[in-house]
């Protein structure tokens, strides 16, 4: 299959000016990003790389990082984590508080903010230096020592993190948060501030397409059984109240972030990342979704 020519046709077919979309501005630092950026990178399991547009520019991966924190917490606590966070789609916006009240402080899944904050609490309990240890883990699975946090984005989110703070307080009242709220919030905003290019993101998520092994060294970092479960959670919960729509249109497990990035994987075939900061009303990249829909349609490669 000529992947590069398929990617070129996607770039040509998508006119970014046809899409409305708003750049996230509740984190002031993110509002500064050029809304017309658009790039895509496809990384195949045979180590092929195909790309177009702004695929080599770093952006804030935001909620995409929740999958990486989850896999680390899953390694540390194994199935005990499912006592504190469920695995059901929420059907609610990513930062919603409503379900928590009547579900006794147990978040629906680890990819909404409430669930991701519980995962951060677990990591803070286990790691000596949460920020440094998490970063080292990401550098290892991405095989890239240059990956880093963006302090400006982290600080900007922390100043405006009232909803996340509310989620933490509510869950603490139910006994589902063990550590100090400030410490968890600080770790969470750093985790979300990781910056990567589409290429780096697709390389990092190759782990999920390659049964938990690092492509190249073949080192088994995560057992396949745990990768299988995380992929299932990405499929059912990766796009909040638009998870059904993403599954319907694209047909791959994936995760979005309010920085405009989307990563998706096709187990045993490829990992792909798209970036465009224009978000639809559900907080997912409108153009990223359209690009991925075209990719699975044109390649006839979706898990369905
Ligand atoms: N850091 C962001 C927040 O908590 C992440 C949200 C997202 O990417 N959907 O609001």
């Amino acid at each position: 299959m000529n992947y590069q020519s398929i990617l070129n046709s996607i770039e040509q077919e998508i006119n970014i000016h046809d899409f409305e979309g708003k750049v996230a501005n509740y984190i002031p630092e993110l509002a500064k990003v050029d809304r017309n950026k658009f790039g895509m990178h496809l990384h195949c399991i045979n180590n092929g790389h195909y790309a177009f547009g702004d695929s080599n520019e770093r952006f804030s991966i935001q909620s995409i990082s929740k999958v990486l924190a989850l896999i680390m917490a899953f390694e540390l606590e194994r199935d005990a984590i499912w006592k504190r966070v469920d695995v059901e789609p929420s059907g609610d916006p990513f930062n919603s508080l409503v379900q928590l009240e009547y579900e006794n402080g147990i978040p629906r899944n680890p990819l909404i903010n409430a669930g991701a904050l519980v995962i951060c609490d677990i990591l803070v309990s286990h790691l000596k230096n949460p920020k440094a240890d998490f970063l080292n883990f990401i550098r290892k699975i991405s095989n890239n020592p240059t990956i880093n946090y963006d302090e400006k984005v982290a600080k900007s989110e922390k100043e405006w993190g009232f909803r996340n703070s509310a989620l933490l307080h509510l869950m603490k009242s139910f006994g589902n948060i063990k550590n100090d709220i400030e410490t968890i919030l600080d770790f969470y905003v750093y985790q979300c501030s990781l910056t990567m290019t589409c290429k780096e993101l697709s390389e990092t998520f190759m782990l999920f397409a390659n049964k938990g092994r690092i492509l190249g060294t073949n080192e088994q970092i995560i057992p396949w059984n745990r990768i299988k479960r995380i992929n299932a959670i990405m499929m059912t919960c990766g796009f909040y109240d638009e998870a059904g729509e993403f599954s319907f249109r694209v047909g791959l497990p994936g995760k979005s972030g309010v920085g405009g990035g989307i990563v998706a994987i096709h187990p045993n075939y490829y990992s792909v990342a798209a970036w465009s900061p224009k978000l639809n009303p559900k907080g997912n990249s409108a153009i990223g979704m359209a690009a991925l829909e075209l990719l699975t349609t044109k390649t006839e490669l979706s898990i369905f």
Side-chain angles (χ1 to χ4, degrees):
M1 183 136 34
N2 190 339
Y3 288 114
Q4 190 57 54
S5 80
I6 289 176
L7 257 67
N8 294 344
S9 70
I10 294 172
E11 184 180 23
Q12 277 157 16
E13 272 177 50
I14 289 186
N15 180 359
I16 57 169
H17 303 291
D18 288 346
F19 291 79
E20 302 251 310
K22 284 203 181 111
V23 179
N25 59 6
Y26 74 99
I27 301 174
E29 204 58 32
L30 291 184
K32 296 180 183 166
V33 176
D34 177 356
R35 64 200 302 268
N36 290 324
K37 294 285 177 187
F38 177 34
M40 189 167 180
H41 189 105
L42 175 69
H43 184 25
C44 292
I45 202 126
N46 65 2
N47 212 14
H49 285 273
Y50 312 93
F52 66 74
D54 301 306
S55 62
N56 273 320
E57 188 167 325
R58 282 188 170 161
F59 59 89
S60 194
I61 73 165
Q62 289 297 318
S63 281
I64 297 172
S65 67
K66 291 171 180 170
V67 180
L68 305 171
L70 173 62
I71 195 80
M72 195 179 190
F74 198 9
E75 284 306 290
L76 290 166
E77 282 211 351
R78 307 289 164 88
D79 286 330
I81 70 175
W82 311 124
K83 289 194 193 104
R84 295 179 57 189
V85 56
D86 208 343
V87 293
E88 294 299 334
S90 68
D92 270 338
F94 64 87
N95 56 5
S96 173
L97 284 126
V98 289
Q99 283 168 345
L100 271 184
E101 169 72 353
Y102 54 81
E103 293 180 359
N104 301 318
I106 304 291
R108 276 285 172 100
N109 68 67
L111 301 183
I112 51 174
N113 285 17
L117 290 164
V118 168
I119 296 299
C120 282
D121 187 34
I122 292 172
L123 292 179
V124 166
S125 292
H126 283 269
L127 305 176
K128 239 186 179 164
N129 301 300
K131 286 185 214 167
D133 296 349
F134 179 68
L135 188 58
N136 282 336
F137 174 71
I138 302 306
R139 287 176 173 174
K140 180 169 182 172
I141 63 172
S142 61
N143 206 4
N144 185 340
T146 73
I147 304 285
N148 219 332
Y149 299 122
D150 182 333
E151 298 233 356
K152 269 194 188 163
V153 171
K155 288 190 174 130
S156 174
E157 174 163 16
K158 192 140 181 238
E159 268 176 47
W160 293 91
F162 309 121
R163 288 193 78 90
N164 288 325
S165 175
L167 287 166
L168 281 164
H169 282 278
L170 187 54
M171 291 190 289
K172 197 158 178 105
S173 77
F174 285 105
N176 199 17
I177 290 293
K178 315 290 177 201
N179 294 284
D180 166 59
I181 284 176
E182 270 307 294
T183 311
I184 302 167
L185 200 55
D186 189 62
F187 175 56
Y188 174 77
V189 296
Y190 269 82
Q191 171 205 301
C192 289
S193 81
L194 278 174
T195 62
M196 293 191 197
T197 67
C198 287
K199 180 170 190 274
E200 290 165 341
L201 200 51
S202 67
E203 286 171 337
T204 306
F205 273 74
M206 179 47 89
L207 190 73
F208 299 89
N210 194 32
K211 295 186 170 164
R213 292 185 302 246
I214 304 239
L215 199 67
T217 65
N218 224 22
E219 188 186 348
Q220 187 89 42
I221 300 275
I222 314 282
W224 175 73
N225 188 39
R226 288 204 270 282
I227 290 288
K228 178 184 78 170
R229 289 173 157 196
I230 305 297
N231 288 350
I233 295 174
M234 279 199 266
M235 187 87 230
T236 51
C237 313
F239 298 82
Y240 323 112
D241 44 344
E242 202 167 38
E245 179 79 10
F246 188 83
S247 188
F248 180 68
R249 283 175 52 191
V250 179
L252 295 174
K255 184 74 201 84
S256 61
V258 288
I262 297 183
V263 68
I265 55 124
H266 189 340
N268 307 321
Y269 286 87
Y270 61 74
S271 141
V272 60
W275 174 49
S276 154
K278 288 186 186 178
L279 305 181
N280 68 20
K282 308 261 164 138
N284 298 316
S285 172
I287 294 172
M289 268 176 86
L292 289 167
E293 182 177 4
L294 283 174
L295 179 75
T296 50
T297 304
K298 285 172 186 283
T299 57
E300 298 185 1
L301 286 174
S302 119
I303 65 164
F304 302 108

